[in-house]
């Protein structure tokens, strides 16, 4: 997650990553796993074959590996990429040791910026994966990443890319304006933000890969009040930084009070994407 941004950013703080992990795990689209398993089996990887080789890009504290490795059968060999050495240590220490059928899972850590990733780095890889990553990239980096994936003839599974669509319950007249300001903030410095999935789909399809997408929304109810509170703070602060006039002065306190009393819910849309060789 921090491979293309400032590792000191609150978005990549271990506490935030831990807070969102269960909501992430609940949201990820398991519907994309069967096509991925078919791809791996066709390559002779997984149960009854050679180990599955996975590259986890911007691994953060390793939540993608903790979610995906136990859902795939067969031995696995993971390479975890991130710029933050502390997050890499966390990811490596907490990586699952066994797969769905009890086979061995191994992992090695690699401190590297995604902008420097090459086809050679992915040589022999079966699956490139990443979580909450695509919206942090610009179009050039997505194109470079897609070319590396296609050049290595592997699959790519990217989960939890924001779409820019948010619903809060109860609604508030300020919600749409804040959403627009937040989305514009996500697009700063040329980053894709909520445009990440359509751009990535277009890039992979232009290169001849087939792409499947599936919704993976956060459904934040009162049981997720701690996560809802921290997400709301970040959402409002980013919107106010982008457009101070978008956030009414009483909005943050009013919404946070609703959080504390269990009255606030949120539906934060994401999309998961699986890109596969056309054959």
């Amino acid at each position: 997650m921090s491979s293309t941004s400032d590792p000191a950013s609150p978005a990549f703080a271990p506490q935030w990553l831990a807070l969102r992990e269960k909501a992430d795990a609940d949201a990820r689209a398991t519907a994309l796993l069967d096509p991925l398993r078919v791809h791996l089996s066709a390559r002779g990887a997984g149960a009854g074959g050679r180990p599955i080789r996975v590259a986890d890009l911007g691994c953060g504290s390793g939540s993608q590996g903790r979610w995906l490795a136990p859902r795939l059968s067969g031995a696995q060999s993971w390479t975890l990429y991130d710029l933050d050495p502390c997050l890499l240590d966390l990811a490596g220490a907490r990586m699952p040791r066994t797969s769905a059928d009890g086979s061995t899972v191994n992992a090695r850590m690699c401190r590297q910026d995604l902008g420097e990733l090459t086809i050679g780095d992915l040589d022999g890889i079966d699956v490139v994966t990443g979580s909450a990553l695509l919206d942090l990239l610009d179009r050039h980096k997505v194109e470079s990443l897609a070319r590396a994936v296609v050049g290595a003839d592997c699959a790519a599974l990217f989960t939890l890319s924001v779409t820019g669509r948010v619903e809060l319950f109860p609604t508030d007249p300020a919600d749409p304006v804040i959403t627009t300001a937040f989305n514009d903030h996500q697009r700063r410095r040329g980053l894709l933000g909520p445009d990440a999935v359509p751009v990535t789909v277009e890039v992979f399809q232009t290169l001849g890969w087939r792409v499947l997408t599936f919704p993976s929304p956060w459904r934040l109810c009162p049981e997720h009040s701690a996560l809802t509170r921290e997400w709301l703070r970040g959402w409002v602060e980013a919107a106010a930084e982008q457009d101070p006039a978008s956030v009414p002065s009483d909005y943050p306190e009013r919404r946070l009070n609703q959080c504390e009393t269990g009255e606030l819910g949120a539906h934060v849309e994401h999309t998961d994407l699986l890109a596969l060789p056309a054959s």
Side-chain angles (χ1 to χ4, degrees), residues 41-117:
S41 177
R43 290 172 66 101
R50 61 169 175 78
I52 303 167
R53 297 182 288 257
V54 186
D56 186 0
L57 309 183
C59 67
S61 62
S63 67
Q64 184 82 334
R66 289 191 291 278
W67 178 81
L68 182 58
R71 287 171 169 79
L72 299 177
S73 295
Q76 300 170 34
S77 178
W78 286 64
T79 303
L80 310 178
Y81 289 91
D82 207 284
L83 274 182
D84 188 331
C86 295
L87 289 178
L88 276 174
D89 287 345
L90 275 176
R94 299 178 61 196
M95 190 70 190
R97 303 306 175 198
T98 55
S99 68
D101 63 357
S103 300
T104 301
V105 175
N106 294 312
R108 69 181 184 94
M109 281 62 74
C110 184
R111 191 179 182 205
Q112 183 173 329
D113 192 291
L114 299 190
E116 301 170 359
L117 197 72

Side-chain angles (χ1 to χ4, degrees), residues 183-231:
N183 290 341
D184 289 342
H185 187 276
Q186 293 289 92
R187 297 183 178 102
R188 281 184 168 191
R189 303 183 305 279
L191 302 183
L192 291 173
D195 306 316
V197 169
V199 168
T200 304
V201 169
E202 173 205 333
V203 168
F204 270 108
Q205 289 179 339
T206 299
L207 293 171
W209 250 228
R210 62 189 177 102
V211 183
L212 307 172
T213 61
F214 210 84
S216 52
W218 274 358
R219 295 181 175 90
L220 303 182
C221 55
E223 289 76 16
H224 298 93
S225 60
L227 175 60
T228 307
R229 182 173 59 249
E230 291 308 309
W231 166 80

Side-chain angles (χ1 to χ4, degrees), residues 140-263:
H140 173 73
K141 285 185 177 177
V142 166
E143 289 174 343
S144 296
L145 175 57
R147 285 194 296 268
V149 167
V150 170
D153 195 36
C154 58
L157 175 66
F158 296 111
T159 64
L160 298 170
S161 297
V162 297
T163 69
R165 292 183 290 276
V166 172
E167 291 182 80
L168 285 89
F169 311 98
T171 61
D172 186 283
D175 293 346
V177 180
I178 294 174
T179 298
T180 298
F182 176 83
N183 290 341
D184 289 342
H185 187 276
Q186 293 289 92
R187 297 183 178 102
R188 281 184 168 191
R189 303 183 305 279
L191 302 183
L192 291 173
D195 306 316
V197 169
V199 168
T200 304
V201 169
E202 173 205 333
V203 168
F204 270 108
Q205 289 179 339
T206 299
L207 293 171
W209 250 228
R210 62 189 177 102
V211 183
L212 307 172
T213 61
F214 210 84
S216 52
W218 274 358
R219 295 181 175 90
L220 303 182
C221 55
E223 289 76 16
H224 298 93
S225 60
L227 175 60
T228 307
R229 182 173 59 249
E230 291 308 309
W231 166 80
L232 180 69
R233 282 190 178 125
W235 186 67
V236 170
E237 287 171 4
E241 183 180 337
Q242 179 69 22
D243 178 10
S246 69
V247 183
S249 59
D250 66 335
Y251 185 93
E253 183 178 0
R254 182 157 40 83
R255 284 307 210 182
L256 287 170
N257 284 340
Q258 290 175 327
C259 241
E260 295 298 333
T261 58
E263 299 174 74

